[in-house]
Amino acid sequence: MLKKFKDLSEKEILALAIASEEEDGRIYGEFADALRESYPATAQMFEEMREEEVVHRDRLFAMFRQRFGDRIPLIRRENVKGFIARRPTWLVRPLGVNVARKQAGIMEMEAARFYAKAVTRVQDASTRELLNKLADEERKHQATAGDLKEKHLTEHARAAEDQSREKLFLLQVVQPGLAGLMDGSVSTLAPLFAAAFATQNSWDAFRVGLAASLGAGISMGFAESLSDDGSLTGRGSPWIRGLVIGGMTTAGGIGHTMPFLISNFHTATVIAAIVVLFELGAIAIIRHKYMDTPFLQAAFQVVVGGILVFLTGWLIGSS
């Protein structure tokens, strides 16, 4: 059972902050280790960021001991509603340098929002002072990261861009939209083509596909909107994210369902199969552009997955 952030005690808030700083420090250390051989300058940047997290953790430790003693409650991000679940990108080898930088930017933004929110839940003056200072430092962390990039990456630095806008667009639109498109495009293939091959009737297949698409869209939309209220993570309104992922899930299923409005069953099936290929190709391109997944790897994953689901529907429908 997840706890709501507003229900946390001051002791639990400090314990959560300590656990968060420890985890972020470990992640930056993993980034540094994974990139040291191929990207030594970027690795040094992450090592310095890790050291900053250690300083933050030690200051939180001192405050906790002063107020509550040495026994720290076991509470982590995953125990509190409103935090993004960390994707284990730092465990992947080889680790893409752009993936690491993007993940670090999201972590910095999330930490700043957490401390700003935590200040409003704490009454003790010394604790509020510490949390305010940490919030200010985390807000400056992005600028600090930029200085570190300039210091370490020199001519290898990326072209300047509006990183904040890109991260928000990624969090609020691209990630939920891509998840919805993938779910809708793949999950509806089996029931749609199973119904098509079982009935040999375009209208029956269309109704099954429409029902599967709408059902998947509603389910994904509610699941996303209820998973995170966005207050700590900067992911925006849960209703907007729910609408995005629900709409894209429905669209992913509707795309290859519409051809079955054609009365000729064989023509409709061929066109639907072609639409599926275009959908899977679009997913691979989006993953390559926004999620830094190598194109061939992304294409292999979605196309092979789609083909397996299609074959499942064909086998069931033809049996």
Side-chain angles (χ1 to χ4, degrees):
M1 182 69 177
L2 298 180
K3 296 194 69 170
K4 295 182 179 179
F5 185 76
K6 66 179 182 179
D7 296 330
L8 296 181
S9 66
E10 294 189 15
K11 183 177 182 179
E12 290 173 326
I13 288 174
L14 276 177
L16 178 60
I18 291 170
S20 298
E21 293 290 354
E22 287 180 332
E23 182 181 5
D24 286 353
R26 286 196 297 271
I27 291 172
Y28 288 141
E30 290 287 349
F31 284 166
D33 290 342
L35 298 172
R36 187 165 284 114
E37 182 176 351
S38 300
Y39 301 94
T42 300
Q44 181 59 32
M45 179 192 80
F46 281 121
E47 185 61 32
E48 293 190 18
M49 294 175 73
R50 184 195 66 79
E51 293 171 359
E52 289 188 32
E53 300 303 305
V54 171
V55 172
H56 291 179
R57 181 204 63 191
D58 290 345
R59 291 163 68 185
L60 288 163
F61 265 135
M63 177 58 66
F64 190 94
R65 289 194 183 99
Q66 176 185 325
R67 294 194 58 197
F68 304 110
D70 292 328
R71 193 175 187 83
I72 302 176
L74 182 60
I75 181 168
R76 299 189 176 92
R77 287 184 175 97
E78 56 266 30
N79 305 131
V80 181
K81 185 175 182 180
F83 275 102
I84 297 176
R86 294 281 196 237
R87 291 192 309 142
T89 51
W90 53 93
L91 301 179
V92 177
R93 298 294 187 277
L95 176 69
V97 65
N98 289 330
V99 173
R101 290 173 183 162
K102 187 176 295 183
Q103 180 70 25
I106 293 173
M107 289 164 59
E108 294 161 11
M109 181 173 60
E110 186 180 4
R113 295 180 69 89
F114 164 70
Y115 284 121
K117 192 77 171 178
V119 168
T120 67
R121 305 296 307 167
V122 171
Q123 302 300 319
D124 178 73
S126 58
T127 304
R128 286 175 64 90
E129 181 182 13
L130 173 60
L131 294 178
N132 268 314
K133 287 180 179 179
L134 291 176
D136 290 339
E137 290 177 18
E138 292 293 352
R139 278 192 288 267
K140 296 175 183 176
H141 204 172
Q142 284 184 298
T144 302
D147 294 339
L148 290 173
K149 288 178 186 177
E150 184 176 350
K151 171 184 174 183
H152 294 296
L153 303 183
T154 60
E155 72 274 7
H156 300 294
R158 296 179 302 161
E161 60 182 355
D162 189 347
Q163 294 182 352
S164 180
R165 180 178 302 175
E166 180 183 345
K167 287 195 290 284
L168 288 174
F169 181 69
L170 177 71
L171 283 171
Q172 298 175 6
V173 178
V174 174
Q175 286 184 347
L178 179 60
L181 184 63
M182 292 177 63
D183 183 81
S185 297
V186 176
S187 67
T188 58
L189 285 178
L192 174 66
F193 285 99
F197 289 116
T199 64
Q200 299 285 305
N201 184 286
S202 292
W203 179 242
D204 288 340
F206 174 79
R207 288 188 296 175
V208 171
L210 180 63
S213 301
L214 291 174
I218 293 171
S219 175
M220 288 287 287
F222 272 102
E224 176 67 21
S225 62
L226 295 175
S227 67
D228 173 14
D229 62 11
S231 61
L232 298 180
T233 60
R235 300 180 70 201
S237 167
W239 294 108
I240 292 177
R241 294 196 324 275
L243 288 173
V244 168
I245 194 169
M248 291 301 289
T249 301
T250 301
I254 288 292
H256 46 254
T257 298
M258 293 300 291
F260 285 99
L261 287 173
I262 300 172
S263 58
N264 185 289
F265 170 75
H266 296 290
T267 301
T269 302
V270 170
I271 295 176
I274 293 173
V275 170
V276 169
L277 292 178
F278 277 104
E279 289 173 343
L280 298 178
I283 292 172
I285 291 172
I286 294 172
R287 291 190 63 189
H288 172 65
K289 182 175 181 180
Y290 290 104
M291 310 303 289
D292 296 306
T293 304
F295 180 74
L296 291 179
Q297 177 183 336
F300 178 81
Q301 290 173 348
V302 298
V303 171
V304 171
I307 290 174
L308 290 175
V309 176
F310 173 84
L311 289 176
T312 300
W314 175 72
L315 290 171
I316 293 174
S318 302
S319 60

